[in-house]
Amino acid sequence: MLTQPLYDTLQDLGLRGMARAFQRQLNQPSAELPFDERLGLLLDAERTERANYRYAQRVRWAKLPQANASLEDIDQRTPRGLDKRLIAQLGQLEWIAKCLNVLIVGPTGVGKSYIASALAHHACKHEISVRCIRLPRLMEELARAEALRRKSQLLRQYAKAQLLVIDDFGLAPLTDAQQRDLLELVDDRYDKAATLITSQLPIDKWHAYLGDPTIADAILDRLVHNAYRIVLKGESMRAKRAAIDPEHSSAKEPTTPTHT
């Protein structure tokens, strides 16, 4: 068989990784390799191609607030109460397998969303389905879905994610109906999937924020008692970056020249 028709056949079959590897073999002849080794290289290329595609799909579906965040780039030098051992433990992702939660709280600008994005991105790399959304946006989506009579379908979609990241919890008041929606969501996920929440509110103020004592008890019982806690403190890191370099105040999370 001529090489071009063979290449075209691989493309037609959707074996694009193999096709590209085949092209590379033609450009860099490997005649000294046995047939089975050359075939193995083609199959490895196809496997890698498909894994990369699935990873890109997971990242796209996750809608990470900071898509390039990584655990390696978390600034562990700036004093803000960050526990290196806890970050390393969470990086093993056992908490997701055990359907536990992570609560990250602290004042604005201390890196809550970055840490959440880094953990979510790390989960995507390990073939875990992730979905990220700000709580105000979640409430808007649920209200829109209810108007279209699709709220149950939307709740099921969020419930299926192995990791759900809810950013900006406590940023705006919730109506009674929104509190019930939130309860339904966390109840669907309780003991079935992991949830990560970021908030400027200290955890001991969440009950008062939710308002209705009965619903607040139910929501917090499903979120707080089986959760790891990251409590950050200190000044805004964004403000520090802006003061140091106004033109690059939106750079990656670390504020020190060396990433740790």
Side-chain angles (χ1 to χ4, degrees):
M1 180 180 288
L2 296 176
T3 57
Q4 187 60 44
L6 179 55
Y7 176 86
D8 292 340
T9 299
L10 291 172
Q11 290 281 13
D12 291 342
L13 291 173
L15 301 173
R16 295 176 178 82
M18 291 185 70
R20 279 194 281 271
F22 175 66
Q23 188 66 54
R24 287 195 297 270
Q25 285 191 8
L26 293 178
N27 294 334
Q28 299 176 350
S30 305
E32 69 280 2
L33 294 178
F35 170 78
D36 59 341
E37 291 190 23
R38 295 185 65 182
L39 178 60
L41 292 173
L42 296 179
L43 292 172
D44 285 344
E46 182 62 30
R47 182 187 294 113
T48 300
E49 175 83 7
R50 296 189 180 199
N52 289 340
Y53 176 80
R54 291 193 300 269
Y55 164 67
Q57 286 287 85
R58 286 192 297 273
V59 171
R60 186 158 46 248
W61 188 72
K63 298 181 180 179
L64 304 177
Q66 300 187 51
N68 295 321
S70 69
L71 294 179
E72 294 77 14
D73 279 335
I74 290 177
D75 177 11
Q76 303 206 33
R77 295 187 175 187
T78 300
R80 49 178 168 159
L82 190 61
D83 187 335
K84 297 180 181 179
R85 290 174 297 180
L86 179 56
I87 294 297
Q89 181 181 356
L90 296 176
Q92 296 175 9
L93 303 178
E94 290 184 9
W95 59 283
I96 298 178
K98 294 179 179 179
C99 303
L100 302 177
N101 303 325
V102 172
L103 312 177
I104 306 177
V105 298
T108 183
V110 293
K112 300 182 300 294
S113 295
Y114 188 94
I115 294 172
S117 295
L119 287 168
H121 200 168
H122 189 61
C124 286
K125 290 181 179 179
H126 288 78
E127 301 187 359
I128 293 171
S129 61
V130 179
R131 190 69 185 269
C132 301
I133 191 167
R134 297 173 61 250
L135 183 60
R137 179 64 181 274
L138 173 61
M139 294 298 108
E140 291 175 3
E141 285 194 4
L142 287 171
R144 188 161 49 249
E146 183 171 27
L148 298 173
R149 298 184 179 180
R150 295 178 181 174
K151 186 169 73 172
S152 296
Q153 178 183 353
L154 180 61
L155 285 169
R156 284 196 298 271
Q157 290 177 4
Y158 280 112
K160 287 192 301 184
Q162 292 171 278
L163 172 61
L164 175 63
V165 178
I166 301 178
D167 204 6
D168 286 336
F169 181 88
L171 193 62
L174 298 180
T175 65
D176 291 344
Q178 289 173 332
Q179 290 181 50
R180 289 193 293 272
D181 286 342
L182 181 61
L183 173 58
E184 185 173 352
L185 176 60
V186 298
D187 186 60
D188 286 345
R189 299 183 58 78
Y190 181 66
D191 272 348
K192 301 182 185 71
T195 302
L196 189 159
I197 292 181
T198 74
S199 178
Q200 295 181 32
L201 283 180
I203 296 172
D204 59 8
K205 294 185 178 180
W206 287 11
H207 195 281
Y209 159 71
L210 290 168
D212 186 304
T214 303
I215 295 180
D217 284 343
I219 290 174
L220 298 184
D221 183 62
R222 290 158 175 78
L223 287 179
V224 175
H225 302 305
N226 58 344
Y228 292 94
R229 304 185 185 193
I230 299 176
V231 180
L232 303 177
K233 56 187 178 181
E235 301 177 5
S236 171
M237 297 171 69
R238 283 192 292 268
K240 289 181 180 179
R241 284 199 300 269
I244 295 171
D245 187 354
E247 294 184 0
H248 298 87
S249 60
S250 61
K252 65 174 69 175
E253 204 239 8
T255 59
T256 52
T258 302
H259 305 320
T260 59

